[in-house]
Amino acid sequence: MSASPSVKELLASIKAVDKSKISEAERQDLLAASAELQVKVENPWDTVFRLVFVTPAVFTSIKTLLDLKLFEKWVAAGGGPKTVTELAALVGAEEALLVRLIRVVASAGLTKVPAPHTYEMNEFSESLARAPQQAPFDYMWYFLIPTYLALPKFLGANQYKNPLMGPCNAAFNWGFNTCQTLFDHWAERPKEQESFANCMIGYAGGLAPWTDIFPTEKLLEGAGPNDVIVVDVGGGVGHDVMQVQRKHNLKPSQLVLQDLEGVLKQPVSKDSFKLQPHDFFKVQPVKGARAYYLHSVLHDWSDNQSTEILARIREAMGPHSRVLLHDMVLRPQDNPPVAAQSDVLMMAAFNALERTEEMWTKLATAAGLSVISIHTSKASPQSIVEMSLA
């Protein structure tokens, strides 16, 4: 049976989409609509098959090809179409094995097949030659899979109550048979810690810059040349504080990147901001900064621990200081997948959570702060919760 005109028109419109000619907000709208369309068109077994059989096979195949460094070597060899024989020679794998792996990747539309037994990289597969794109596959392999495998049994043992037992008794601890927190676990495994840092660089690179969500020029109003403008608390390698530097060209001393000493060994720049080892449960050493910025920090911690982190910042704040929390704000309905999955991940890893607007307001009050605004953008699943002294 031929497709109806309306379906033909829809297919033509889909094929005509040019990502380079639409805004980020439009791109997000299209992604949401395409996900909704897929579920509408699938029958229930299609959905089961995609989730249970196809997705793990694609992930495992990509992980193996990354272990072979296929995409790095393909790019180094000039890219372009290559036969399976050429690709197998490139990585030293048996041709009969390589074709089985790359066939799965191609079936998901993640490489092109311009001719029989010939493959060509598309934008996605070419990106797998870069560390921030590779890192999430390592992250899933060494952390997500064991943690998520432990979660159903962990929740059952907890009698299906919301787990609030603290970060040392989470599904992660069951999966890895450890009493350490995840961060302590990684501190003893530098390669995994580096992989996580690269993963966060990749994640941040896919988001709208926070300087486009929050009007950072407000922080400069009335500020002196020696005032600290932004303290990036628990800021990792510094990709967020670097966004402020790119936008405003400040003196390096006016921007401070804080994290544990082991993390600060990997900054994106050593000249654009000040590096300061700091444990955010301890006294905040920078007093009166215009903003104390925390990106995806408090979702790792329970309400009690988050209140303690905010209290240490409140003690250092001046009358013009703001706390800027760059995090998810869960909606009463229609949450994007990235927000919903992140909440479950925080539960599995730390017995922590993503929060609603009401939860953020309650947390602020407990720490002696007040929510004065929540800044949002259609180009980002995360918001910026702005707080002042109460």
Side-chain angles (χ1 to χ4, degrees):
M1 179 183 293
S2 62
S4 67
S6 61
V7 172
K8 287 181 179 178
E9 290 169 359
L10 178 60
L11 291 172
S13 297
I14 291 171
K15 290 180 179 179
V17 171
D18 184 343
K19 184 171 60 175
S20 67
K21 295 181 180 179
I22 59 177
S23 69
E24 178 61 22
E26 290 172 327
R27 192 180 76 86
Q28 293 297 331
D29 285 342
L30 281 174
L31 286 171
S34 62
E36 182 180 356
L37 176 64
Q38 181 171 23
V39 175
K40 280 185 175 180
V41 173
E42 288 177 332
N43 63 41
W45 177 248
D46 292 331
T47 308
V48 167
F49 195 82
R50 171 169 56 86
L51 295 175
V52 176
F53 296 101
V54 175
T55 300
V58 172
F59 165 75
T60 304
S61 297
I62 291 176
K63 177 66 173 71
T64 308
L65 294 174
L66 287 173
D67 290 345
L68 286 167
K69 300 188 182 301
L70 172 69
F71 303 103
E72 292 177 61
K73 292 180 178 181
W74 198 343
V75 168
K82 293 197 181 298
T83 65
V84 175
T85 302
E86 290 172 323
L87 292 175
L90 203 60
V91 297
E94 187 176 357
E95 182 178 334
L97 170 65
L98 191 71
V99 71
R100 299 175 75 179
L101 298 173
I102 200 166
R103 180 191 294 139
V104 174
V105 180
S107 73
L110 304 179
T111 60
K112 294 185 283 187
V113 189
H117 313 298
T118 303
Y119 294 88
E120 184 176 2
M121 289 182 288
N122 58 16
E123 182 184 16
F124 170 77
S125 46
E126 187 170 355
S127 78
L128 292 176
R130 303 192 295 271
Q133 288 290 100
Q134 297 168 357
F137 292 90
D138 289 332
Y139 175 72
M140 184 168 182
W141 194 256
Y142 68 70
F143 166 62
L144 286 181
I145 290 176
T147 299
Y148 278 143
L149 285 175
L151 183 60
K153 185 178 288 188
F154 168 78
L155 293 175
N158 194 43
Q159 299 180 328
Y160 298 105
K161 296 176 182 177
N162 200 25
L164 301 171
M165 296 86 75
C168 293
N169 187 19
F172 158 76
N173 301 96
W174 282 46
F176 285 81
N177 191 28
T178 179
C179 294
Q180 291 180 306
T181 67
L182 176 58
F183 293 123
D184 290 338
H185 177 81
W186 279 344
E188 296 178 355
R189 295 162 176 81
K191 286 187 177 180
E192 292 184 11
Q193 192 170 55
E194 181 181 0
S195 176
F196 175 70
N198 277 322
C199 189
M200 292 300 98
I201 291 172
Y203 175 65
L207 298 174
W210 77 275
T211 51
D212 290 350
I213 303 172
F214 179 84
T216 48
E217 55 274 6
K218 284 176 49 178
L219 304 176
L220 306 180
E221 295 173 1
N226 296 318
D227 289 345
V228 175
I229 304 302
V230 175
V231 180
D232 191 352
V233 182
V237 297
H239 45 259
D240 286 315
V241 74
M242 195 66 199
Q243 291 172 2
V244 184
Q245 185 62 283
R246 291 192 189 103
K247 183 174 180 180
H248 297 294
N249 193 27
L250 300 172
K251 293 164 58 176
S253 60
Q254 293 184 287
L255 299 171
V256 180
L257 173 65
Q258 295 180 338
D259 214 309
L260 298 177
E261 192 165 359
V263 177
L264 291 181
K265 293 177 180 178
Q266 314 162 40
V268 295
S269 171
K270 294 183 178 179
D271 304 317
S272 300
F273 43 79
K274 178 180 177 181
L275 301 177
Q276 186 175 66
H278 176 59
D279 178 344
F280 45 55
F281 286 105
K282 297 181 179 177
V283 174
Q284 171 56 245
V286 181
K287 311 298 182 184
R290 301 305 291 245
Y292 297 88
Y293 170 86
L294 296 85
H295 189 181
S296 298
V297 171
L298 297 190
H299 74 170
D300 294 337
W301 302 96
S302 68
D303 283 350
N304 287 340
Q305 292 164 317
S306 294
T307 300
E308 185 178 349
I309 293 168
L310 291 175
R312 299 292 78 77
I313 294 174
R314 185 204 67 229
E315 294 163 356
M317 291 171 69
H320 300 292
S321 298
R322 294 289 183 267
V323 174
L324 304 177
L325 304 179
H326 192 180
D327 236 313
M328 302 292 182
V329 179
L330 296 176
R331 310 167 187 169
Q333 65 183 83
D334 297 330
N335 284 284
V338 65
Q341 69 80 28
S342 185
D343 184 47
V344 173
L345 175 56
M346 294 306 104
M347 173 175 62
F350 306 108
N351 286 334
L353 68 165
E354 302 292 355
R355 294 175 171 90
T356 64
E357 181 177 348
E358 291 75 18
M359 290 174 173
W360 285 120
T361 300
K362 182 179 178 181
L363 191 64
T365 301
L369 300 168
S370 178
V371 174
I372 59 175
S373 184
I374 296 180
H375 304 263
T376 62
S377 168
K378 285 199 73 174
S380 175
Q382 294 184 316
S383 302
I384 295 181
V385 182
E386 182 181 4
M387 298 180 179
S388 66
L389 291 169

